[in-house]
Amino acid sequence: LLSKAFPEETAPFIVFKRNAYSWNNDLSCSVDIEELERSWKIASSDTLPNEERLAHYNRALDLYHGQFLPKSGAEEWTLPLRAYYRSIYLECVDKACVLLLNANRPGEVIRICGQATSLEPFEERLHELLIRGYLEAENHTQALAHYYQVTNMFYSELGIKVSDSITNLYREITKSVSNVEADLRIIEQQLHESEAVPGAFFCDYEVFRNIYR
């Protein structure tokens, strides 16, 4: 199969040494997980300029496409490696987004976290960074929509509430949204429902307290 894919290569791809088959290390070969780990280690150096660090973080993020060897999930030897590369990816997202927020580049934070939350939907830190990105971009409507989406997902799928850090972001959002003048006709259309929704109203504490007030 390899010979068909690389007809110009004359050296054997697989060699037999010490009663075992292995890859021929004399051949030049690039492995994505090795490149990812290399970029992560370089980016972790505090001595590099932030732009260089961001370039290496982005390189690592581009190389990660989900779980390590997802079709080999039953193989026990893949489990620690899967956790290892996942932790590298999450660290790259976190540190890259912090650098971008400090540089006032929320659009890139939204792009990175949008992709990250699709790969790791139950990682709260990613949602926190995404909401922060929306806030810094002054997209308060989208920030509020994503907050509701996350809280609903955690309640319905895991039966837990979101962390205090996300709740604190909600307070920031409501302060900003309350100052935005809304078209009452649009609000009326959004509130209108053809039939009553059965069941109790389940909401987080901040919403309940505002209703109580």
Side-chain angles (χ1 to χ4, degrees):
L1 289 172
L2 290 167
S3 298
K4 290 178 182 178
F6 305 97
E8 71 283 356
E9 188 59 65
T10 57
F13 293 94
I14 308 297
V15 294
F16 185 77
K17 292 180 180 179
R18 299 188 184 90
N19 205 33
Y21 291 98
S22 65
W23 176 260
N24 184 357
N25 286 324
D26 292 334
L27 294 172
S28 176
C29 182
S30 175
V31 184
D32 56 358
I33 54 174
E34 293 176 356
E35 294 296 322
L36 182 150
E37 190 173 14
R38 185 179 298 113
S39 295
W40 163 63
K41 287 181 178 179
I42 295 172
S44 299
S45 173
D46 294 334
T47 59
L48 284 179
N50 287 345
E51 281 304 315
E52 288 188 36
R53 294 181 68 194
L54 281 169
H56 287 290
Y57 277 133
N58 280 318
R59 168 67 174 156
L61 295 176
D62 290 340
L63 288 167
Y64 189 86
H65 299 286
Q67 288 187 347
F68 173 72
L69 297 182
K71 294 183 180 180
S72 301
E75 301 289 340
E76 289 188 9
W77 67 270
T78 65
L79 298 178
L81 288 173
R82 186 171 298 143
Y84 175 66
Y85 292 118
R86 178 180 179 272
S87 68
I88 288 177
Y89 173 71
L90 293 175
E91 182 179 327
C92 287
V93 173
D94 193 320
K95 291 190 175 180
C97 287
V98 170
L99 289 172
L100 290 167
L101 287 170
N102 290 337
N104 194 27
R105 291 156 65 179
E108 294 175 62
V109 173
I110 294 170
R111 175 185 61 81
I112 290 173
C113 290
Q115 181 181 9
T117 52
S118 66
L119 294 174
E120 299 288 346
F122 295 106
E123 190 64 37
E124 272 192 274
R125 175 61 175 166
L126 303 180
H127 294 289
E128 180 186 342
L129 288 167
L130 181 54
I131 294 172
R132 173 61 65 189
Y134 285 130
L135 274 173
E136 295 297 322
E138 297 186 353
N139 191 344
H140 304 117
T141 302
Q142 191 61 45
L144 189 60
H146 192 76
Y147 169 81
Y148 286 135
Q149 177 188 333
V150 172
T151 52
N152 181 64
M153 180 177 68
F154 274 70
Y155 280 137
S156 59
E157 299 291 333
L158 303 178
I160 60 174
K161 65 178 183 178
V162 294
S163 63
D164 290 340
S165 57
I166 293 182
T167 303
N168 291 335
L169 284 174
Y170 171 77
R171 294 191 182 98
E172 289 188 44
I173 297 168
T174 53
K175 286 177 184 177
S176 303
V177 171
S178 62
N179 294 327
V180 178
E181 190 172 330
D183 189 325
L184 290 176
R185 290 172 299 175
I186 296 175
I187 293 175
E188 184 180 11
Q189 291 172 4
Q190 292 173 339
L191 292 175
H192 177 73
E193 293 176 315
S194 57
E195 56 186 49
V197 180
F201 176 58
F202 187 53
C203 62
D204 64 24
Y205 176 68
E206 287 299 315
V207 173
F208 174 79
R209 188 169 66 171
N210 287 330
I211 294 173
Y212 174 81
R213 283 172 172 170

